[in-house]
């Protein structure tokens, strides 16, 4: 979740706003953004929805260019 801070800002949310949506403390959000802790697995759908992304995007490398995978033909 290296890009969580960027994703939160792109969603137009402050730390307190995201914490309220997630039902957790601001400290928890700061720890997630710093990579000290990760949210529980059952919270991931709610986090993705709050940020307007998919769960996969939560774990994507923010420095990697995302390109659609090419389909292989036999």
């Amino acid at each position: 979740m290296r890009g969580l801070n960027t994703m939160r800002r792109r969603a137009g949310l402050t730390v307190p706003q995201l914490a309220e949506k997630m039902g957790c403390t601001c400290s928890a959000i700061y720890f997630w953004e710093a990579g000290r802790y990760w949210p529980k697995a059952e919270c991931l759908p709610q986090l993705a929805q709050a940020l307007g992304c998919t769960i996969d995007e939560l774990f994507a490398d923010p420095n990697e260019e995302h390109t659609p995978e090419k389909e292989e033909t036999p």
Side-chain angles (χ1 to χ4, degrees):
M1 287 197 188
R2 291 183 258 178
L4 187 58
N5 179 285
T6 302
M7 295 174 82
R8 175 183 54 76
R9 287 186 279 129
R10 283 186 187 153
L13 297 171
T14 64
V15 169
Q17 289 170 329
L18 182 56
E20 184 177 333
K21 285 181 177 281
M22 294 300 299
C24 65
T25 65
C26 292
S27 296
I29 304 297
Y30 286 122
F31 284 143
W32 297 348
E33 289 184 351
R36 292 185 69 191
Y37 299 105
W38 284 12
K40 293 181 180 179
E42 60 265 16
C43 295
L44 295 178
Q46 183 181 359
L47 180 59
Q49 182 178 9
L51 297 175
C53 67
T54 65
I55 293 173
D56 287 343
E57 290 171 326
L58 291 173
F59 292 96
D61 185 344
N63 298 317
E64 224 177 71
E65 184 177 322
H66 298 285
T67 56
E69 292 184 29
K70 294 181 182 176
E71 290 186 28
E72 292 185 29
T73 54

